Amino acid sequence: MKEFKQFINGKFVKSTSSEMIKILNPCTEEVISHVPTGSVSDANEALDAAKNAQHAWKSLTAIERAGYLNKMADVIRENRVFLAETLASEQAKVMGLAQVEIDVTADYFDYYAGFARRIEGEIIQSDRSKEHIFLHKAPIGVAVGILPWNFPFFVMARKVAGSLITGNTCVINPSSVAPNTVMEFAELVEKINLPAGVLNYVCGKGSIVGNALSKSPITGIISLTGSVGAGQKVMEAASENITKVSLELGGKAPAIVCADANLELAVNAVVSSRIIFSGQVCNCAERLYVEESIHDQFLDMVTKKMKSIKVEDAFSENNPDMSSLVSKDQLDKVTEMVEYAKKEGAEVLVGGSRSPQFDKGYFYQPTLLTNIRQDMQIIQEEVFGPVLPVMKFSTLDEAIALANDCEFGLTSSIFSENFNKVMHAAEELEYGETYINREHFEAIQGFHAGWKKSGIGGADGKHGMEEYLQTKVIYAQYR
Ligand code: NAD
């Protein structure tokens, strides 16, 4: 059984803590690997290595740094099936989706390598003659990336590609729930002759390793993807040294279906957005608002669709739609939230409990709930499971108000064939992303950023790359 080590300063080293965390296959509950619990001294050693490597790294040309990102993309493609299998086994992502995550991650490294010749400053007219004001973009220094378990490989690329292309060095702390694929990647990085210390991987608990990385004066930026609670802890730790934070946190995405929508398209988009990776996606449609004149018809369509969802082992060759939840904790959380919704008056139209056909694993049935009120926990809090609560609305402005009545602001969607309506909704929805007549899923050239409690800053595209830069103004007076 594989036992992972820390990857610090270009070498695999034992953690100074001998305690190990067991990693399970969620479908079978079998132990598949061990990773270190990690220690404060592991974190500090990695930060020292990153700091020592940074000057030489930023002194390379951006096109030279891009060469390493292209090599990362190449080693991912050469090992694409192995990496997808590793991902599927540690977090029960169905193989089809696991393969998409691996392949998109390779594309992400190549896409960010393409920024090498597009890291741009500005020249501003001065009030003085014979003077130029240069806005110069500089790396921040050492970037820390703290990962969630749900898209660990892709989110890792968001932190690594953005920080390295801009001349920062980087320390990654993978989630202790699903660290295997990320740590296998560290083994591939060892083979591409990246200068030692430029990229470091420290396994271990967020409360120990993540906290130490966030508190250190060496850290220039902490980019965390995770829950609001972890974001708050990171902000607290970052306040010690006024360290920049970039936080991508939870969501409670509303989907609004108007009477004039293409209902076939809407039902496919909403249900696929709800059940993809068993509902454990930050931008998944978490609640559905349907215009009253089509409510019953649309609910029948959603019911039929939810009942047709194939739930199987992540490796099943039947092309399943979804598999187990990632952990017992996640199963318990989803179960508790649905039970509480039932107590609050929700009626179960589909599912509503653990999947009865599995003896092992953390499988939960696709679940559709009706008789829902806006003040219920199931409408206000993130479920992160295959559970869809549905409510009616009578006017579009009422639907928008219900959608905005939430502390999160990550993604939202609207389904209507009326251009004026969709543009009005897109303008009024208080969300970092609004999808019109399509499923919730972002593009690497966009900008994935939550409003309200869903985060600060964002990832992807040019604006995601700029998170890792700071601006210096140079007043150049000449004679
Ligand atoms: P989590 O908050 O439990 O953990 C996220 C990471 O934070 C882990 O690596 C964890 O070890 C670390 N962490 C925990 N406490 C910490 C501390 N005190 N200091 C530093 N690091 C700490 O989240 P999760 O369960 O892994 O992921 C699910 C959550 O992530 C959901 O809320 C989901 O919506 C969110 N998410 C958001 C996005 C996005 O782009 N906005 C993407 C994926 C997941």
Side-chain angles (χ1 to χ4, degrees), residues 1 63 84-85 87 116 173 226-227 249 270 302 329 361 406 418 428 446:
M1 183 172 314
I63 202 75
E85 287 171 353
L87 192 60
N173 174 215
S227 61
L249 308 177
V270 171
V302 179
D329 283 355
C406 177
N418 181 315
E428 294 300 324

Side-chain angles (χ1 to χ4, degrees), residues 60-313:
L60 294 180
T61 60
I63 202 75
E64 286 172 318
R65 294 195 296 268
Y68 289 101
L69 266 60
N70 291 135
K71 281 190 199 168
M72 290 178 192
D74 291 344
V75 290
I76 292 172
R77 291 195 184 103
E78 283 156 20
N79 295 278
R80 62 186 286 277
V81 176
F82 166 69
L83 290 168
E85 287 171 353
T86 307
L87 192 60
S89 67
E90 68 175 328
Q91 45 146 234
K93 188 169 272 161
V94 295
M95 262 305 278
L97 182 61
Q99 196 62 71
V100 169
E101 179 171 348
I102 300 301
D103 293 345
V104 171
T105 303
D107 291 348
Y108 200 90
F109 278 110
D110 277 341
Y111 170 70
Y112 260 66
F115 277 110
R117 295 190 174 105
R118 285 182 286 138
I119 301 170
E120 294 165 352
E122 290 172 32
I123 304 171
I124 302 171
Q125 291 291 310
S126 173
D127 294 345
R128 297 184 178 188
S129 68
K130 297 202 171 184
E131 183 175 85
H132 291 305
I133 302 174
F134 297 115
L135 277 186
H136 171 71
K137 297 285 180 175
I140 299 172
V142 174
V144 162
I146 303 178
L147 309 183
W149 49 258
N150 69 337
F151 281 84
F153 203 62
F154 176 69
V155 173
M156 182 266 299
R158 277 182 165 158
K159 322 290 186 204
V160 172
S163 58
L164 296 196
I165 192 64
T166 45
N168 301 275
T169 52
C170 185
V171 180
I172 293 289
N173 174 215
S175 160
S176 304
V177 179
N180 291 358
T181 319
V182 170
M183 294 312 292
E184 291 291 357
F185 177 70
E187 296 193 9
L188 298 175
V189 166
E190 197 201 14
K191 299 191 173 108
I192 65 166
N193 296 322
L194 187 71
V198 168
L199 180 56
N200 307 273
Y201 287 84
V202 186
C203 293
K205 291 186 176 166
S207 54
I208 302 169
V209 174
N211 181 55
L213 294 171
S214 306
K215 262 166 108 152
S216 168
I218 291 177
T219 303
I221 171 171
I222 308 148
S223 175
L224 164 98
T225 303
S227 61
V228 171
Q232 287 165 331
K233 292 266 188 243
V234 162
M235 278 186 97
E236 232 176 274
S239 70
E240 209 159 301
N241 293 295
I242 318 292
T243 305
K244 178 176 179 181
V245 293
S246 177
L247 304 175
E248 293 170 45
L249 308 177
K252 187 73 195 172
I256 298 173
V257 179
C258 300
D260 58 10
N262 175 332
L263 298 188
E264 202 56 47
L265 180 153
V267 75
N268 289 330
V270 171
V271 174
S272 70
S273 296
R274 180 61 296 196
I275 56 92
I276 185 172
F277 191 33
S278 313
Q280 302 166 118
V281 185
C282 60
N283 56 11
C284 262
E286 279 249 346
R287 54 203 166 112
L288 173 61
Y289 298 102
V290 184
E291 192 160 350
E292 59 191 353
S293 61
I294 53 149
H295 176 267
D296 294 355
Q297 179 196 354
F298 194 68
L299 207 56
D300 282 347
M301 292 170 80
V302 179
T303 303
K304 225 183 255 165
K305 190 87 196 160
M306 291 289 266
K307 282 186 174 163
S308 75
I309 297 302
K310 260 188 280 171
V311 186
E312 291 186 23
D313 184 278

